Amino acid sequence: MSVFRPQSIVCTACGTTNVETVAMSLHGSRVPQIVEQIVAGTFQCFTCGGCGLGYRADGPLIYVDFVTKRWIGEFPRTMEGGWASLEQQPMDVFRQSLIDLAPAFLRAEADGFTVRAVFGLDALAEKIRLLEAGIDDRAVEVAKLEIIRQTGAVMSPDRRPRVVKADADKVTMVLWTPSAEQFCVSVPTADIVAMASEDGWRSLLREMQIGPYVDLGRILLDGRRTASV
């Protein structure tokens, strides 16, 4: 079941408080048009009533799909510095909802779910693209570093490679040049797992398998910042 509620959002440009209806939870297979908006980058884009500038409301929300068995907790991008204290929240809610406090018919559905924690709607869109294509997102995060090494792209917390297209044949991602320009690289999907399995990257692949937060932020951000929702 998808749930939407009015929420007061303060414009960072002019300070005006806008009341918008935003998602608290989404059932992906039941709202395909919203999933399309998330992937397209148009979901929850609003215009400030005070200054007329556009802004985006980016969570927190829970994205659930009982058909494809996905449970993704999406937090605002600004909270990513506290990922270490937040990444288990989606797993905790998943366990409470489908295991600990759930009736028998729901507990029977709990096996096989992919549980993830992401920060920002762009990160949610990336996860949806990869999971829809049946591609291991953990291997993709590791492969990103090998692609950076091969292309000479730069990386920082604000300039991480981001997957913009994924299918059975190839994965396309946006990277950054040293002069802060964007460019795209496409890699055969079959090569992604091979890159992540190389001897030099196996320890990082194990790091990506530790918890629900599967992102290069695990090594770029220390995660010790206090965070709450």
Side-chain angles (χ1 to χ4, degrees):
M1 179 178 179
S2 299
V3 176
F4 295 81
R5 293 176 184 167
Q7 182 173 317
S8 296
I9 303 173
V10 178
C11 175
T12 58
C14 70
T16 297
T17 298
N18 301 275
V19 178
E20 309 287 0
T21 299
V22 300
M24 301 288 106
S25 64
L26 294 171
H27 191 316
S29 60
R30 294 183 179 177
V31 287
Q33 72 282 6
I34 290 180
V35 176
E36 291 177 1
Q37 292 173 13
I38 293 172
V39 172
T42 59
F43 180 60
Q44 292 190 165
C45 291
F46 304 109
T47 301
C48 176
C51 64
L53 292 179
Y55 64 94
R56 197 175 190 191
D58 70 341
L61 65 86
I62 291 289
Y63 178 93
V64 180
D65 196 320
F66 284 93
V67 175
T68 57
K69 295 203 167 185
R70 296 160 194 164
W71 188 288
I72 306 174
E74 188 269 334
F75 300 94
R77 175 69 177 81
T78 55
M79 299 177 71
E80 192 174 19
W83 66 263
S85 62
L86 292 172
E87 73 163 328
Q88 288 300 324
Q89 286 192 19
M91 180 63 77
D92 292 342
V93 176
F94 167 77
R95 286 173 175 160
Q96 291 171 5
S97 302
L98 293 188
I99 301 175
D100 298 341
L101 304 178
F105 78 93
L106 275 182
R107 290 198 300 272
E109 298 294 323
D111 288 344
F113 263 81
T114 296
V115 181
R116 293 289 184 264
V118 300
F119 293 85
L121 289 172
D122 289 341
L124 176 59
E126 180 181 57
K127 288 295 183 232
I128 291 173
R129 292 185 187 104
L130 292 172
L131 294 173
E132 287 286 343
I135 300 171
D136 188 341
D137 59 326
R138 298 165 297 186
V140 170
E141 291 303 309
V142 177
K144 286 177 179 180
L145 287 184
E146 175 61 20
I147 293 167
I148 287 172
R149 186 190 69 80
Q150 293 179 7
T151 61
V154 298
M155 184 179 68
S156 68
D158 295 325
R159 293 178 182 172
R160 273 169 274 178
R162 184 68 73 195
V163 174
V164 294
K165 186 176 181 181
D167 56 38
D169 296 321
K170 64 182 179 181
V171 174
T172 301
M173 59 185 70
V174 171
L175 296 94
W176 298 83
T177 69
S179 58
E181 295 179 353
Q182 291 184 342
F183 66 100
C184 288
V185 169
S186 294
V187 180
T189 301
D191 291 352
I192 293 292
V193 174
M195 288 180 180
S197 300
E198 293 177 359
D199 290 343
W201 298 118
R202 287 179 183 173
S203 62
L204 179 58
L205 183 59
R206 288 193 294 270
E207 175 71 20
M208 292 299 163
Q209 295 169 341
I210 291 175
Y213 177 54
V214 178
D215 193 282
L216 289 178
R218 292 192 81 93
I219 61 174
L220 294 172
L221 305 165
D222 65 25
R224 291 175 292 181
R225 185 186 307 169
T226 301
S228 60
V229 292

